[in-house]
Amino acid sequence: MRYVLRRLLLVPVPLLLVVAFVFAVLRLTGDPVAIYLGLDATPEQEELLRAELHLDEPIPLQFAWFLADLLRGDFGTSIQFKTPAMQIVAERLEATLVLLGLGLGLAVVLGVLAGLACAVWKDRLPDFVLSILAVAGQSMPSFWLGILLIQLFALDLGWLPTSGRGGWAHLVLPTVTLATFLVPNFVLVTRISVLETMREQFVATARARGAGAGRTLWLHVLPNAINPVVSLVGLQLGRLMGGAVVTESIFAWPGVGRLMVSAIFQRDVPIVVASVFIVAVTIVLANLLVDLVQAAIDPRIRMR
């Protein structure tokens, strides 16, 4: 419980840093009054809005008001949609979480299985082929892969839809694109971790007591080698969210990433702020969950 409480107390720190960064960027990218009102606003309108947004006060007070609004869930009204920004972002969050969950799950399953195969057949043909594919996959841009998948499976073969959200068929290409973006790292980390664990004394003891190769691998090696893979999940969450932004844009997936890109081009500040905040909260909470899972798997973590 002490470990959990310590981790919970650290959650507000990165969120506060993200809020401070967003506030600084907003102040550096232009006058919010000009963005909201446009070029045709009168001086009286500008002065009234400036007072309403507390822009006529010192910077520390502006940040305090900005933080207070966020704590109340008030991110302003979207310039494009004329509705509360958080409401728009919340409506798109489910689509993003579905895509992230499926992509991450597929990446972990494929990466762990391929990493196990590389470790079991070390320095043989499967290890050589899978390692080469993993290294090549790390250099493959996700937007390029997405376009190739659309060309092959949607346009040439006609098996899958090109874009949008609907049934399971609409999920296949975005999920594969996002998973391929992450699989190489899981392959390489799993391979290294399994090989190191296989050299431990308890593995030799299990084999000496008559345990078969398969039993030793699944019951002794993998449970002790999985911790670095779980750590990698936490480290890859930010990269996963960045990949989701690209993937959603390619496949016109109606998620937070695509909404944020559109809002940036439209200079819809409330949507951008709400999207960044939701993304930050999602990553922080997911990392917290990863830390708790690691502590459950390996008691030495919470003992430290």
Side-chain angles (χ1 to χ4, degrees), residues 87-300:
Q87 178 182 336
I88 302 297
V89 175
E91 292 172 356
R92 304 290 187 95
L93 182 60
E94 180 193 355
T96 295
L97 292 180
V98 168
L99 183 59
L100 291 180
L102 291 176
L104 181 60
L106 182 60
V108 171
V109 171
L110 294 180
V112 169
L113 292 179
L116 280 173
C118 290
V120 170
W121 288 291
K122 180 177 179 292
D123 297 331
R124 295 163 68 180
L125 183 61
D127 180 27
F128 177 77
V129 173
L130 291 174
S131 297
I132 290 295
L133 290 176
V135 173
Q138 284 185 313
S139 307
M140 184 186 303
S142 59
F143 67 88
W144 180 73
L145 176 63
I147 293 173
L148 286 183
L149 292 178
I150 291 174
Q151 179 65 42
L152 177 60
F153 293 101
L155 299 180
D156 294 342
L157 298 176
W159 291 353
L160 298 168
T162 58
S163 60
R165 186 186 183 195
W168 67 268
H170 291 82
L171 276 166
V172 174
L173 294 183
T175 300
V176 171
T177 301
L178 194 58
T180 307
F181 183 63
L182 299 175
V183 164
N185 288 327
F186 287 106
V187 173
L188 299 177
V189 169
T190 302
R191 179 184 184 275
I192 294 172
S193 180
V194 170
L195 288 176
E196 290 179 351
T197 305
M198 290 174 69
R199 290 194 290 264
E200 296 289 340
Q201 188 64 40
F202 70 86
V203 177
T205 302
R207 295 301 303 272
R209 292 171 64 90
R215 180 181 178 85
T216 302
L217 180 66
W218 291 105
L219 297 183
H220 298 281
V221 175
L222 186 58
N224 288 279
I226 202 66
N227 209 3
V229 178
V230 178
S231 300
L232 184 63
V233 171
L235 294 174
Q236 292 294 306
L237 288 173
R239 188 165 178 254
L240 179 67
M241 188 61 72
V245 171
V246 177
T247 303
E248 288 180 2
S249 299
I250 293 173
F251 293 97
W253 186 260
V256 176
R258 184 164 176 255
L259 175 67
M260 185 163 51
V261 171
S262 173
I264 290 173
F265 282 110
Q266 298 293 331
R267 301 203 70 182
D268 194 343
V269 174
I271 291 290
V272 174
V273 174
S275 301
V276 171
F277 186 78
I278 285 295
V279 168
V281 169
T282 302
I283 292 176
V284 169
L285 293 181
N287 272 286
L288 173 64
L289 179 61
V290 167
D291 288 343
L292 297 181
V293 170
Q294 279 188 291
I297 294 174
D298 190 350
R300 294 172 298 177

Side-chain angles (χ1 to χ4, degrees), residues 14-39:
L15 294 180
L16 184 60
L17 292 175
V18 169
V19 169
F21 175 77
V22 171
F23 176 81
V25 170
L26 290 178
R27 292 302 179 269
L28 292 174
T29 53
D31 186 4
V33 173
I35 296 174
Y36 278 108
L37 297 180
L39 300 177

